[in-house]
Amino acid sequence: MSLAPRAVLVHRTTEYEELLARHGTHGQAEFFLRTHGQDLAGVEERHRRAKQILAQVTAAVPATWRQARVERADLDRFLFAPEDVVVVVGADGLVANTAKYLAGQPVLGIDTDPGRNPGVLVRHRAERAATLLRAAPSPRATVDELTMVEAVTDDTQRLLALNEIYVGQPGHQTARYLLRPQDRGPGGEERQASSGVVAGTGTGATGWLRSLAQQRGSDAPPLPEPGERRVAWFVREAWASPTTGTSRVAGVLAAGELLRITIESDRLVVFGDGMETDTLQVTRGQTVRLGVADTALRLLE
């Protein structure tokens, strides 16, 4: 007999909770904001709304289902199960933070601040949670499959991201490496020094990737669409020297194609979607392969 679905509610601490943790009391938090020309009332209102919506979504979970909650800071220690239905209650960025830990489980994004969040990934209001949750376990549930990017090291470490992956120095200083795009055969590599390499998907094309593409101007490759199984890559601020080049600084990878980066610095990091606390560590001589991931984010429509 198969297990009943488990609803995993993913949330994060609110601005108000972070202020209390930093300043100790409501009064001290209010004083701090006031002396910086800001008002605590709006922060409190967003806190109340977020908690109300989280409670509303919790109540919408079918009575026969199991439930679990996980805070954003604990995602890397939480074990998602195949039968889970993942409910992200927050902003678009929280969906991206969660996606890297999943393996095809359906995701329902609930917007806690409609009108303030773009709502690209948190597409639904809390009022629809009950209907969408009941439909989620069905193979006929309508989902939008969003392409993800992956990094795999030669010692089998693997990292997924929904928006983009960065390879470079932890502090974004100069990184040294040997770059070999998929479309270059043996001898087609280039030794480079730059502030890192970014590879991202169509979902990330409105953020960091777009900024990098704008810097390249007419030389930038076309950015992929969110569901398109392609990944665009860019070298950040490559500089030329007698031993380093700048001729291969952007491109697009189709599914099955890889961008190989062999490390020539003492230590570089690989992280996804801005989660710098959850990184892969790579050292001189190791190779990182970037490309389209087999796993996609299955976002409920």
Side-chain angles (χ1 to χ4, degrees), residues 174-210:
T174 300
R176 296 180 180 276
Y177 51 85
L178 191 67
L179 184 87
R180 193 173 79 197
Q182 174 73 28
D183 61 354
R184 310 284 179 171
E189 67 273 357
E190 181 172 76
R191 182 162 279 106
Q192 293 185 346
S194 77
S195 56
V197 180
V198 176
T201 68
T203 302
T206 58
W208 202 355
L209 281 193
R210 177 140 329 259

Side-chain angles (χ1 to χ4, degrees), residues 52-244:
Q52 179 183 11
I53 290 174
L54 183 59
Q56 187 177 351
V57 173
T58 301
V61 176
T64 57
W65 289 24
R66 296 165 295 139
Q67 287 191 36
R69 283 194 187 186
V70 57
E71 207 275 326
R72 177 186 183 270
D74 299 321
L75 280 167
D76 61 340
R77 297 186 294 276
F78 186 83
L79 183 62
F80 288 95
E83 69 276 7
D84 287 344
V85 175
V86 182
V87 188
V88 177
V89 185
D92 290 329
L94 187 55
V95 177
N97 296 156
T98 305
K100 62 183 289 186
Y101 301 107
L102 303 179
Q105 294 93 337
V107 176
L108 170 58
I110 300 293
D111 193 349
T112 54
D113 205 351
R116 184 180 172 92
N117 295 324
V120 175
L121 301 174
V122 285
R123 300 176 177 179
H124 303 287
R125 304 290 180 93
E127 292 76 15
R128 295 204 62 209
T131 300
L132 290 164
L133 281 167
R134 285 194 297 270
S138 170
R140 295 186 296 277
T142 304
V143 295
D144 188 7
E145 295 203 351
L146 300 180
T147 297
M148 299 185 71
V149 57
E150 71 173 1
V152 181
T153 68
D154 52 9
D155 60 356
T156 71
Q157 296 181 83
R158 181 172 180 255
L159 183 139
L160 290 170
L162 180 61
N163 292 323
E164 70 277 316
I165 284 176
Y166 166 82
V167 182
Q169 290 281 1
H172 300 256
Q173 300 99 334
T174 300
R176 296 180 180 276
Y177 51 85
L178 191 67
L179 184 87
R180 193 173 79 197
Q182 174 73 28
D183 61 354
R184 310 284 179 171
E189 67 273 357
E190 181 172 76
R191 182 162 279 106
Q192 293 185 346
S194 77
S195 56
V197 180
V198 176
T201 68
T203 302
T206 58
W208 202 355
L209 281 193
R210 177 140 329 259
S211 175
L212 293 168
Q214 288 173 343
Q215 292 172 23
R216 296 291 304 162
S218 59
D219 293 334
L223 298 180
E225 296 296 323
E228 193 177 356
R229 288 183 56 73
R230 295 193 308 141
V231 164
W233 61 271
F234 294 89
V235 176
R236 301 175 63 223
E237 304 160 326
W239 58 278
S241 75
T243 59
T244 59

